[in-house]
Amino acid sequence: MAVPILKQGDYLIGSIQSALTDTDMIDFRSTLADQVGKNRSRAVIIDVSGLDVIDSFTARTLQDITHTVKLKGAAAVVVGIQPQVAFAMVQLGLYLDGVATALDLDEGLALLNAATAGWRARGR
């Protein structure tokens, strides 16, 4: 199942609506990295509010995605981790080290607007 990626201004928003296979996660990672370059995006939001579970592969892939888009010059944030999912991740020792997170899409946009404000001031 392909993850829809929406372009909103200088940002891309990927919304994972249900559990994905490992292959789907890898495809999402590749597609999102390609879209950052094609659209010259400043930031990426990955919405995981539709997930009831984040397993170790998904957590690692989310880290990979955010690090990949950062290397391509864009900021990234993961939004919408459900409370029960966060609790389970902590219990399992799954942390998103180095990954910016926000409560929801609104907070994610605010975080990215603040993070990219300097870029906008410099005309990027």
Side-chain angles (χ1 to χ4, degrees):
M1 171 190 320
V3 176
I5 299 173
L6 306 173
K7 184 176 183 317
Q8 177 67 41
D10 292 330
Y11 299 164
L12 295 177
I13 302 170
S15 182
I16 301 174
Q17 301 297 314
S18 62
L20 300 175
T21 66
D22 291 356
T23 301
D24 290 338
M25 280 299 294
I26 292 169
D27 290 345
F28 174 56
R29 179 185 65 192
S30 298
T31 302
L32 195 56
D34 288 343
Q35 291 295 315
V36 167
K38 287 179 183 171
N39 293 297
R40 303 183 62 81
S41 299
R42 291 184 181 171
V44 170
I45 296 174
I46 304 167
D47 180 6
V48 297
S49 61
L51 295 180
D52 295 331
V53 173
I54 294 179
D55 62 17
S56 61
F57 184 82
T58 300
R60 189 174 62 246
T61 305
L62 289 171
Q63 278 186 299
D64 291 349
I65 291 169
T66 59
H67 293 161
T68 299
V69 299
K70 285 179 185 175
L71 287 172
K72 293 180 72 77
V77 63
V78 174
V79 304
I81 297 175
Q82 298 298 317
Q84 69 276 12
V85 173
F87 180 74
M89 289 176 69
V90 170
Q91 291 294 313
L92 296 171
L94 300 175
Y95 302 102
L96 297 175
D97 294 330
V99 176
T101 59
L103 182 63
D104 55 25
L105 185 58
D106 287 337
E107 287 195 13
L109 285 168
L111 183 69
L112 291 176
N113 285 337
T116 61
W119 296 350
R120 285 191 299 272
R122 290 188 299 269
R124 180 178 182 255

